[in-house]
Amino acid sequence: MPSKARSLVELTRIHWFPVGSDFMFWPFAWGSLAASYHVALPMNEVIMNTLFYALLGTLVHSAGCVINDMLDRDFDRKVERSKGRPIASGAVTMTEASVLLFVLVAAIFYMFSTAGPTALTLGLVGLPACGGTYPLMKRWMYWPSLYLGFAASWAVPFTWVAITGQFDWGMILNVAVASCCWTCLYDTIYACQDKKDDEKAGVKSMAVRLGDGIRLALSVFDVIFFACLLWAGYLNDQHLPFYVMSVIAPFLLCLWHIWSFDHNDPKDSWEKFTAGRHGAALVCAGLVVDHYLQSCVSSHLSIHFHLELDSWWCRQRSC
């Protein structure tokens, strides 16, 4: 691959796939799978929707990385881990990055347009307002990871409305808050890699702000994640597979990550950050298994009903 093309790929972080892209995908996946269960969507449509949102999440993540590197190029040059990024190192110019960003945003808005007018409006407002402003937060506040969680969670109302055609604020808010806490938690673990350099460069982050109190603070986010998904399951009439796989298992796994990682060790912080995808995937797995089992039960009941109806009709005719 030519060096320029390789630099542009690195700018989007596609060379790390699925790391990073999957963290943008989870809010889309949780919202779409919960909505699919709510309306009893056929499994083949569930699969197609999931692939659609996987692509959309990847594009959104790539666009966010380009914006982040454009705005943070001066900060990146002061941080050991990021000084070799394409814009900070001079491998990609601001003009080239702007063209790439335009292409990515055009593709994202095209995908938005296929999701219906209400979802399109949510996407048009949510992406620039939330995702486009996240990189600036580390200049103004010590809680940029929380803002990132909020920014990523606009995917929940987007997917819910796209699939159900309506706003169910109980479900939307609970799944969105759970998504926000999950993203905030693991982004804070990710930020622990750069604590020393961030302090020198004047970059604000939750990892810097929380210091040794980080475990307790992240545990609070994990408990809120657990409570919101638990209540969302009740509101959505979920069953045992969801509560075991999507609520209890990710909560305990995340708790273990929080209390076992060394927040002063960049390597261990990276390992725990990437391991976060396992818990997020469990949330998806529980939703899919619950959906599949309920569709099997519904199909069985439907067949049984039709057999009983046919039997009754035959008896009536024989009379």
Side-chain angles (χ1 to χ4, degrees):
M1 182 184 293
S3 58
K4 180 62 70 174
R6 184 169 59 251
S7 296
L8 291 171
V9 169
E10 290 176 0
L11 183 58
T12 65
R13 311 293 199 275
I14 290 295
H15 64 301
W16 281 358
F17 186 87
V19 177
S21 297
D22 57 353
F23 272 79
M24 191 64 245
F25 165 66
W26 301 130
F28 284 106
W30 296 358
S32 66
L33 291 173
S36 298
Y37 179 93
H38 187 77
V39 298
L41 207 65
M43 287 304 297
N44 63 316
E45 293 186 39
V46 174
I47 293 171
M48 293 304 297
N49 281 341
T50 302
L51 293 174
F52 175 86
Y53 289 121
L55 176 58
L56 181 56
T58 300
L59 289 173
V60 170
H61 174 258
S62 294
C65 288
V66 175
I67 295 172
N68 183 81
D69 285 10
M70 291 174 71
L71 295 175
D72 279 359
R73 59 191 184 278
D74 293 330
F75 281 136
D76 284 344
R77 295 185 182 110
K78 301 175 183 178
V79 177
E80 184 64 30
R81 188 176 59 85
S82 60
K83 66 182 182 182
R85 287 177 177 172
I87 297 177
S89 65
V92 173
T93 67
M94 286 291 287
T95 300
E96 292 167 339
S98 299
V99 172
L100 176 59
L101 179 61
F102 175 81
V103 172
L104 290 169
V105 171
I108 291 168
F109 284 165
Y110 171 74
M111 295 187 75
F112 283 168
S113 70
T114 67
T118 305
L120 172 61
T121 302
L122 285 171
L124 291 174
V125 173
L127 182 65
C130 299
T133 55
Y134 160 69
L136 299 173
M137 294 302 110
K138 63 188 72 175
R139 294 162 169 78
W140 304 332
M141 58 190 291
Y142 278 103
W143 305 89
S145 294
L146 184 59
Y147 189 88
L148 176 62
F150 167 74
S153 296
W154 66 264
V156 176
F158 175 84
T159 53
W160 187 274
V161 171
I163 291 173
T164 68
Q166 59 188 7
F167 287 96
D168 182 337
W169 286 112
M171 277 299 298
I172 288 172
L173 289 176
N174 276 283
V175 177
V177 171
S179 166
C180 177
C181 289
W182 186 269
T183 304
C184 171
L185 195 159
Y186 279 99
D187 189 64
T188 301
I189 292 176
Y190 176 84
C192 288
Q193 298 176 95
D194 301 325
K195 279 198 302 183
K196 293 180 180 178
D197 287 333
D198 284 348
E199 289 173 345
K200 293 177 183 177
V203 177
K204 296 178 172 64
S205 75
M206 287 179 63
V208 171
R209 182 67 172 179
L210 293 172
D212 291 334
I214 192 169
R215 299 187 197 280
L216 183 59
L218 296 185
S219 296
V220 171
F221 283 111
D222 193 26
V223 170
I224 296 173
F225 159 83
F226 174 81
C228 287
L229 275 192
L230 195 66
W231 189 245
Y234 170 77
L235 294 175
N236 212 29
D237 196 26
Q238 302 282 167
H239 295 80
L240 185 62
F242 170 82
Y243 292 106
V244 174
M245 298 176 68
S246 299
V247 182
I248 297 173
F251 166 71
L252 294 177
L253 180 63
C254 183
L255 207 59
W256 177 73
H257 286 159
I258 292 169
W259 289 94
S260 67
F261 93 109
D262 182 355
H263 58 89
N264 293 312
D265 181 356
K267 182 179 178 181
D268 193 42
S269 298
W270 170 256
E271 289 176 354
K272 292 302 188 294
F273 163 72
T274 56
R277 71 165 68 103
H278 302 142
L282 279 171
V283 177
C284 295
L287 284 162
V288 170
V289 170
D290 203 358
H291 191 148
Y292 176 74
L293 292 177
Q294 290 310 303
S295 65
C296 290
V297 170
S298 298
S299 177
H300 176 76
L301 290 176
S302 176
I303 292 171
H304 181 73
F305 171 77
H306 284 295
L307 287 175
E308 288 291 330
L309 185 63
D310 289 343
S311 176
W312 176 83
W313 179 246
C314 288
R315 290 196 301 270
Q316 294 301 312
R317 292 187 64 183
S318 64
C319 293

